[in-house]
Amino acid sequence: MRVCGIELKSNYTVLTLVDYSSDDIVDYIDLKIKKITLEDDENTNNVISYLKEINTFFDDNQVEKIVIKKRSKKGAFSGGAVTFKMEGLIQLYSKAQISLLSAQSISSYERKNEIQFPSKLKKYQEQSYLAVLCAILNT
């Protein structure tokens, strides 16, 4: 099963794709596309372009499950309005199961497990990778 982990930051989507087999083997897939940006969220053409680009990414990579790291809705570490708009657009993708995981769940998973990050994984992809691991191995 192809699983895509997502972390939303500012105006870009950090993507991490893995191939997961039923025997708990997780293979990181090092793709050229690791981020997709929503340039101007007030411009309809840019929003449509973002939606097409993210959907094309999911289609091209045969993504079956999407795991999004949730942002707080209020407080000091709350997510910005643009990230909530991007999350809504991602949730419109109907060809994959979509779930949201809290930052606390991901942090707890990381504390309880010894994580070996793939050598080709970029530092900025670590949270989206952890979201995937937490969702598929923490059952």
Side-chain angles (χ1 to χ4, degrees):
M1 171 192 319
R2 292 273 176 108
V3 184
C4 182
I6 292 178
E7 181 182 22
L8 301 167
K9 294 186 133 211
S10 173
N11 68 333
Y12 61 92
T13 304
V14 178
L15 304 159
T16 300
L17 189 65
V18 303
D19 204 5
Y20 171 68
S21 63
S22 58
D23 50 351
D24 287 345
I25 296 175
V26 178
D27 289 320
Y28 168 68
I29 301 169
D30 188 24
L31 298 172
K32 184 177 179 184
I33 297 174
K34 294 175 177 40
K35 289 183 187 179
I36 296 177
T37 303
L38 173 55
E39 291 301 332
D40 178 3
D41 72 301
E42 294 180 10
N43 180 305
T44 303
N45 290 331
N46 287 346
V47 173
I48 291 169
S49 177
Y50 171 84
L51 180 61
K52 286 180 183 175
E53 191 174 354
I54 197 92
N55 286 343
T56 298
F57 175 86
F58 296 146
D59 288 340
D60 288 352
N61 292 292
Q62 300 156 349
V63 174
E64 298 169 69
K65 182 173 178 129
I66 299 167
V67 181
I68 303 171
K69 179 183 176 187
K70 286 198 301 190
R71 289 118 15 264
S72 298
K73 293 182 180 175
K74 52 187 166 182
F77 297 103
S78 64
V82 177
T83 62
F84 288 104
K85 185 180 281 190
M86 292 186 304
E87 179 184 287
L89 292 169
I90 293 166
Q91 288 179 307
L92 292 173
Y93 187 73
S94 61
K95 299 176 191 172
Q97 175 190 353
I98 300 172
S99 59
L100 290 100
L101 282 175
S102 69
Q104 294 85 354
S105 295
I106 295 168
S107 294
S108 174
Y109 176 80
E110 185 178 18
R111 278 192 308 276
K112 293 176 184 175
N113 296 279
E114 191 172 314
I115 309 299
Q116 291 288 330
F117 292 105
S119 60
K120 295 198 181 228
L121 187 81
K122 302 289 185 198
K123 181 77 173 159
Y124 64 83
Q125 290 179 287
E126 287 182 0
Q127 288 298 305
S128 57
Y129 182 76
L130 286 168
V132 169
L133 295 182
C134 183
I136 60 178
L137 299 177
N138 198 26
T139 53

